[in-house]
Amino acid sequence: MNPTSLLLATFILSIAGLFVFIWSLRKGLFDVETSGSKVIFTPDDIGHYHDPAADPHEIDTLNIQTGRRNISHSDIANRPHDHSSTLPCFVLFGSAVFWLVFASLAGLVSSYKLHNPDFLTHSLALTFGVMRTIHLNLVAYGWAPLGVLGLAMWMLPRLLRAPLVGGRFAIAGAVIWNIALIAGIAAIANGKNAGMEWLEIPWQVGVLFALGGMMIGLSMVFTLFTHKVHHLYVSVWYIGAALFWFPVLYIVAKMPGVHFGIEQATTNWWFAHNVLGLFYTPLSIAAVYYFLPKVIGRPVHSYNLSLLGFWTLAFFYGQVGAHHLIGGPVPEWLLTLSIVQSMMMLIPVVAFSLNQHLTLKGHFQALKHSPTLRFIVFGAMMYTLASVQGSFEALRSFNAVTHFTHFTVAHAHLGMYGFVSMVIFGGIYFVLPQILKFSWPYPKLISWHFWLVVAGFSVYMISLMTAGVLQGLALQDASKPFMDSVTVTLPWLKGRSLGGSLMVAGHLVFAFHFASMVVFALSTKPFQKLSLTTEG
Amino acid sequence: MENSLKLIAGSMVTLSFATCALVALPFLQLKDVPAPEALKPYSPGQARGRNAYIANGCIACHTQQPSTTGAGIADAQRGWGRASVAADYHYDSPPLLGTMRTGPDLFNIGERQPSEDWHLGHLYQPRLYVPGSVMPGFPYLFEIKNKAETTKGDRVVSLPEGAIPDGKVVVAGEEALNLVAYLTGMKHNYPVLTPEEAKLAALRKARVPTND
């Protein structure tokens, strides 16, 4: 039997197995709405808009105008188990926002250096290659994971109707994680770089990430196994799986002394793609599945579509990583497998997108009034775009142009920024008022934040995708000197810096607003009464 | 779905498929691939230069994989060498394949540009050699001295006229010299076996193990 038919047989067999497995988990497969989708609501919640980040009068008016019920906001804001996660979430969000500021500044400096190469060249820490690596690591190990874990930790007690177990351990874990990040960035800035993309932080520091991450994760895992609900809501699947996926990915990838030669490269992309696909993505999807229905007061349209979406994501996403090595010195069957699974990713993506669209249908006017919804829906739309773009980028014909170009960087930002970061923003806008028992002090700044980052992000994406395509076409033309592929990108790289500046401005607005809210909340109410406590 | 154990078990099974495909199978398939005879291990200086390549984040803009698709085909026509194979990376841990060609592929840079002087000067200030280049200079790998103060062991970089003020010279630091030793050693122009030839060679080797 030749490898191709063997591969094909394995593929068909495992797909069949996957669908049988999904079928075995279904419950009322053909119902449009199953009871499972209502787990996130108390009976009072369904049928009216609700957003702690919005102007309460606007939401009241909206509820009345649309003929929906209007009930007092304080009634729905308080949930019995919220207090258990308050302080750990606060620590996670606070650190996430702190790292966001540095991460985006490092990104902006890198972007600027690419068209002004003589800017800041007098030390290793400031050189382009190092600055870009610092940007990536601050996002990948600072802002994004702390943000999504904070959201997950806040959602879990609500979803499971059980208090968070071991909140103090989670806080200690977050502290260790932050220390690890500082040590890791210091290592990179001093030339101690492990040499693999997304895994540059040396394994000696990685041990701290594993420890801190485990303390954060275990607190949620123990909560998961003590749950009191009859039904695990779709967000719980994504959170639960991601909590087990990430440690396996990180520990296997960082294991010293095991990997060698080209196998290291395949492991590298197995990790780097899966940390997106099996960690940031599922945790962000979990947030969308929670906040979107929650704000509009309507259960997810088709619960079974979400079941299909989850298991197909779990199955296909894990195997797509090698598409980063198309044309490279790796076994050909591996590339084919990853390309096929990249296309199969359209199934979970369409399932998710369709579901969100059908849930939101008829409620688009709420986007005008709910900041949370605006960020979350924008994020969900970018997830669809990023995934479809990613699937096509894996095709050899498309890849031939975009591989090795700025297009890849643009694509990474479509996922990590357009999707993940926007969802974190939206989630924090919803959650922080409930953690601090205090409203956002300057609602106008939320709009400023939104429009600055959306405008900046649009400029960023259009510029960088154009740069990538032009660069790719120039690289493919052997009659042109290599320098042509650099020259064509320059105006667009400047455009990227412009877009990036707007995004950074948006982040500064956000960080300022976050900090002001914390200061106001703590100064107007005694510290203890904010229920910034893990007791109970 | 009601059962958290079923959830976790199912999701670990899917991850193990992925791990088999992307980690375990390449591990098994590639672990016995021998180094090409013509490929020499790095000298201590080159190995230190390779570390400098990693530390300075050169991988952010340069690939080390003349590929078989797209830009790789054009690069081959430019005379930048054959596509690389797994065996070429025998001594590389980790391999520095890279994902960006903001700068050119460097897998055969030692062939294309063997001059040590060129590399040193180019690292000091790329735009003296390649107008319009967006590569940063690495002045911190060099030292500017008065011409009179240089000692016998100093490697003075020969720069184009007017690059630095009269009476001054640029002296290459240890790290710059190592980096250039690494770059000028990047030559992968030896022939490699096709997969079929490699399979036959492996079979022959398996049948007569005592010959090794």
Side-chain angles (χ1 to χ4, degrees):
Chain A
M1 207 178 206
N2 64 39
T4 319
S5 49
L6 193 69
L7 201 66
L8 191 67
T10 319
F11 181 69
I12 290 170
L13 208 67
S14 41
I15 299 280
L18 177 70
F19 281 90
V20 169
F21 181 65
I22 295 174
W23 181 76
S24 80
L25 289 168
R26 96 247 173 267
K27 203 177 174 191
L29 189 61
F30 301 107
D31 300 352
V32 173
E33 279 181 15
T34 61
S35 62
S37 62
K38 295 186 180 137
V39 168
I40 60 169
F41 300 101
T42 59
D44 279 352
D45 281 359
I46 300 180
H48 62 87
Y49 297 108
H50 161 55
D51 181 4
D55 179 348
H57 302 296
E58 273 189 49
I59 292 289
D60 286 350
T61 320
L62 182 66
N63 275 321
I64 293 161
Q65 274 174 359
T66 51
R68 303 183 103 196
R69 288 181 306 120
N70 193 28
I71 60 161
S72 156
H73 302 282
S74 54
D75 291 344
I76 43 176
N78 291 317
R79 293 300 184 94
H81 302 298
D82 273 2
H83 63 86
S84 65
S85 62
T86 296
L87 193 54
C89 287
F90 180 70
V91 172
L92 288 170
F93 289 146
S95 353
V97 175
F98 178 81
W99 294 120
L100 171 71
V101 171
F102 289 97
S104 40
L105 287 174
L108 185 58
V109 171
S110 311
S111 171
Y112 184 75
K113 285 162 86 69
L114 214 46
H115 51 86
N116 283 284
D118 290 319
F119 176 64
L120 298 179
T121 54
H122 285 272
S123 78
L124 179 137
L126 295 173
T127 197
F128 173 80
V130 176
M131 192 52 96
R132 178 194 194 267
T133 309
I134 290 176
H135 164 65
L136 187 149
N137 279 275
L138 283 175
V139 173
Y141 296 96
W143 158 246
L146 295 169
V148 287
L149 285 172
L151 291 181
M153 192 167 278
W154 185 82
M155 286 186 280
L156 263 193
R158 284 191 159 203
L159 296 169
L160 300 170
R161 306 251 163 93
L164 184 75
V165 178
R168 286 171 199 281
F169 280 98
I171 294 170
V175 171
I176 294 174
W177 184 282
N178 279 305
I179 292 171
L181 185 58
I182 294 168
I185 297 299
I188 293 170
N190 284 289
K192 303 273 176 293
N193 180 324
M196 290 205 279
E197 291 182 83
W198 293 79
L199 291 163
E200 290 93 349
I201 293 177
W203 69 266
Q204 292 87 341
V205 177
V207 172
L208 282 182
F209 277 126
L211 179 68
M214 210 170 282
M215 289 167 77
I216 300 172
L218 280 181
S219 130
M220 289 196 256
V221 169
F222 283 123
T223 312
L224 179 63
F225 285 108
T226 58
H227 65 86
K228 298 192 176 100
V229 278
H230 173 61
H231 181 89
L232 295 179
Y233 184 64
V234 49
S235 299
V236 179
W237 318 336
Y238 284 103
I239 295 171
L243 290 176
F244 280 82
W245 282 330
F246 182 71
V248 175
L249 293 172
Y250 192 71
I251 292 169
V252 170
K254 286 306 267 186
M255 193 73 78
V258 177
H259 307 294
F260 63 90
I262 284 301
E263 179 265 347
Q264 239 161 331
T266 62
T267 305
N268 189 171
W269 289 109
W270 165 82
F271 173 83
H273 208 90
N274 283 347
V275 73
L276 296 165
L278 300 181
F279 186 61
Y280 308 127
T281 298
L283 291 180
S284 306
I285 289 182
V288 175
Y289 267 116
Y290 182 85
F291 292 109
L292 193 147
K294 194 78 186 158
V295 170
I296 63 173
R298 189 188 161 193
V300 165
H301 179 78
S302 162
Y303 206 55
N304 294 300
L305 213 48
S306 43
L307 192 65
L308 174 81
F310 174 76
W311 287 109
T312 47
L313 177 131
F315 185 76
F316 298 127
Y317 220 144
Q319 303 171 24
V320 306
H323 67 210
H324 286 268
L325 296 168
I326 292 173
V330 295
E332 195 60 30
W333 63 264
L334 182 59
L335 300 179
T336 306
L337 175 74
S338 279
I339 295 170
V340 171
Q341 304 299 44
S342 300
M343 286 316 278
M344 296 302 281
M345 270 304 292
L346 290 173
I347 297 177
V349 170
V350 168
F352 170 84
S353 311
L354 197 64
N355 215 357
Q356 302 303 337
H357 179 79
L358 292 174
T359 309
L360 190 62
K361 207 173 156 195
H363 298 275
F364 287 100
Q365 76 274 37
L367 286 170
K368 256 197 286 187
H369 308 283
S370 163
T372 303
L373 195 63
R374 223 178 291 154
F375 279 99
I376 297 277
V377 168
F378 187 88
M381 284 161 52
M382 291 306 120
Y383 173 64
T384 310
L385 280 186
S387 307
V388 172
Q389 188 187 58
S391 294
F392 282 93
E393 257 184 281
L395 293 179
R396 288 175 200 272
S397 49
F398 202 108
N399 190 272
V401 179
T402 61
H403 200 25
F404 302 128
T405 72
H406 297 297
F407 198 92
T408 313
V409 179
H411 172 66
H413 283 79
L414 193 52
M416 277 304 269
Y417 194 86
F419 169 43
V420 175
S421 298
M422 292 302 266
V423 167
I424 302 174
F425 290 141
I428 290 182
Y429 279 125
F430 188 96
V431 173
L432 202 64
Q434 319 213 31
I435 287 184
L436 294 174
K437 307 273 183 285
F438 200 86
S439 298
W440 288 98
Y442 310 111
K444 277 222 168 77
L445 290 187
I446 305 182
S447 291
W448 272 100
H449 175 201
F450 182 78
W451 291 111
L452 276 171
V453 298
V454 167
F457 182 64
S458 312
V459 174
Y460 182 107
M461 288 306 298
I462 292 167
S463 306
L464 209 54
M465 290 197 309
T466 313
V469 171
L470 293 177
Q471 181 191 8
L473 293 175
L475 280 172
Q476 268 192 320
D477 187 347
S479 66
K480 286 184 180 164
F482 180 85
M483 270 309 293
D484 278 17
S485 74
V486 176
T487 321
V488 287
T489 62
L490 280 177
W492 303 101
L493 292 179
K494 288 173 189 160
R496 188 256 296 260
S497 289
L498 175 71
S501 312
L502 294 175
M503 287 153 73
V504 173
H507 301 164
L508 293 176
V509 168
F510 172 60
F512 168 78
H513 203 186
F514 186 99
S516 327
M517 178 148 160
V518 173
V519 170
F520 286 149
L522 294 183
S523 57
T524 46
K525 297 180 190 181
F527 189 79
Q528 296 83 348
K529 291 205 178 148
L530 290 170
S531 69
L532 276 177
T533 158
T534 54
E535 280 139 43
Chain B
M1 199 173 357
E2 286 94 45
N3 190 333
S4 27
L5 266 180
K6 201 165 178 180
L7 164 75
I8 303 304
S11 50
M12 292 322 274
V13 168
T14 63
L15 179 60
S16 62
F17 283 152
T19 313
C20 280
L22 271 79
V23 180
L25 287 178
F27 186 96
L28 295 173
Q29 187 175 349
L30 298 171
K31 75 179 161 56
D32 296 323
V33 175
E37 267 171 41
L39 181 68
K40 295 282 164 275
Y42 295 109
S43 72
Q46 285 174 329
R48 283 195 293 274
R50 192 170 187 278
N51 287 338
Y53 184 98
I54 297 173
N56 287 281
C58 305
I59 198 174
C61 294
H62 294 284
T63 52
Q64 293 187 9
Q65 47 166 329
S67 49
T68 55
T69 55
I73 298 171
D75 281 355
Q77 288 164 4
R78 289 180 176 111
W80 293 4
R82 61 165 172 82
S84 60
V85 297
D88 291 330
Y89 303 88
H90 189 87
Y91 300 110
D92 289 2
S93 184
L96 305 172
L97 296 179
T99 47
M100 292 292 284
R101 281 194 187 149
T102 310
D105 187 273
L106 297 181
F107 208 52
N108 290 302
I109 187 65
E111 279 292 313
R112 290 208 294 284
Q113 186 46 272
S115 160
E116 195 182 58
D117 274 323
W118 186 93
H119 278 292
L120 285 171
H122 182 254
L123 281 175
Y124 178 72
Q125 174 50 279
R127 274 155 297 288
L128 292 174
Y129 298 79
V130 185
S133 165
V134 293
M135 175 168 143
F138 296 85
Y140 55 90
L141 300 178
F142 299 84
E143 200 183 338
I144 297 180
K145 285 187 175 177
N146 290 321
K147 204 172 253 171
E149 286 169 14
T150 51
T151 58
K152 217 168 129 197
D154 282 351
R155 174 66 166 88
V156 175
V157 183
S158 67
L159 292 168
E161 222 167 291
I164 49 161
D166 281 343
K168 300 270 185 189
V169 288
V170 172
V171 175
E174 186 73 30
E175 209 179 3
L177 290 169
N178 288 333
L179 190 51
V180 170
Y182 171 63
L183 291 174
T184 50
M186 291 290 273
K187 295 173 186 175
H188 298 87
N189 51 349
Y190 49 83
V192 284
L193 301 176
T194 63
E196 284 73 30
E197 290 167 337
K199 208 180 280 172
L200 284 175
L203 277 175
R204 243 176 271 134
K205 200 176 165 192
R207 276 187 204 134
V208 274
T210 45
N211 281 10
D212 286 337

